[in-house]
Amino acid sequence: MALSAGIVLAVMTDWNSLLARHSSPLFASWTAHGVGAMASLALVGLLSFRTEAAPASPRPQGRWPLWSYLGGIPGALTVLLAAVTVNSALGLAGTLALMLIGQMAFGIVADTFGFFALTRKRLGLRELCGIFLVVSGSIAIILARS
């Protein structure tokens, strides 16, 4: 499943950057999110005919955290910036490598400081080795492209 998701991400980024090359990164980002929204609505519509509605769970008490209102804004910015960087000297592989580094770095920071109500975890040797390997591989990909 993870391999399929990675392939789909690479293909989507490539197609989105191709659209951005022929139009603009903003238009490509809006198109990608519009297609995704239509596909989601179609999937929800198809699944609603096949299954009975589950009883609604009660709304949690209290206020939602403010960060939960951001929704897809970070995702939209990621798609927009990916469309820009793929069409630069960095290329698709370099863009995906930098995305991976950013995800790992934010995950480690979130674990270390306990963001989003996570339990705090100390940075260990395994995490440092993972960071070193991903950063080394990303640098090799980016420099090989130059």
Side-chain angles (χ1 to χ4, degrees):
M1 202 64 165
L3 182 62
S4 299
I7 291 170
V8 168
L9 176 65
V11 170
M12 186 273 314
T13 303
D14 186 47
W15 288 358
N16 193 37
S17 68
L18 184 63
L19 181 60
R21 186 179 306 145
H22 294 290
S23 59
S24 73
L26 185 62
F27 177 76
S29 178
W30 275 102
T31 303
H33 284 83
V35 169
M38 288 188 292
S40 296
L41 287 173
L43 186 61
V44 167
L46 286 174
L47 291 177
S48 67
F49 288 120
R50 293 188 51 198
T51 60
E52 291 184 26
S57 60
R59 183 177 175 273
Q61 298 298 321
R63 296 181 53 152
W64 292 98
L66 290 177
W67 59 265
S68 65
Y69 292 103
L70 287 175
I73 293 172
L77 289 174
T78 301
V79 171
L80 179 70
L81 291 175
V84 171
T85 58
V86 168
N87 291 322
S88 69
L90 191 58
L92 179 63
T95 299
L96 292 175
L98 290 177
M99 286 180 180
L100 180 61
I101 290 172
Q103 288 175 347
M104 281 186 67
F106 184 77
I108 289 171
V109 169
D111 283 344
T112 302
F113 294 107
F115 293 164
F116 308 111
L118 293 171
T119 57
R120 289 183 170 195
K121 296 179 185 174
R122 293 185 59 176
L123 186 62
L125 184 61
R126 183 172 24 169
E127 289 83 8
L128 289 174
C129 287
I131 292 170
F132 174 76
L133 291 173
V134 170
V135 169
S136 300
S138 299
I139 290 171
I141 288 170
I142 292 169
L143 292 179
R145 174 109 175 134
S146 302

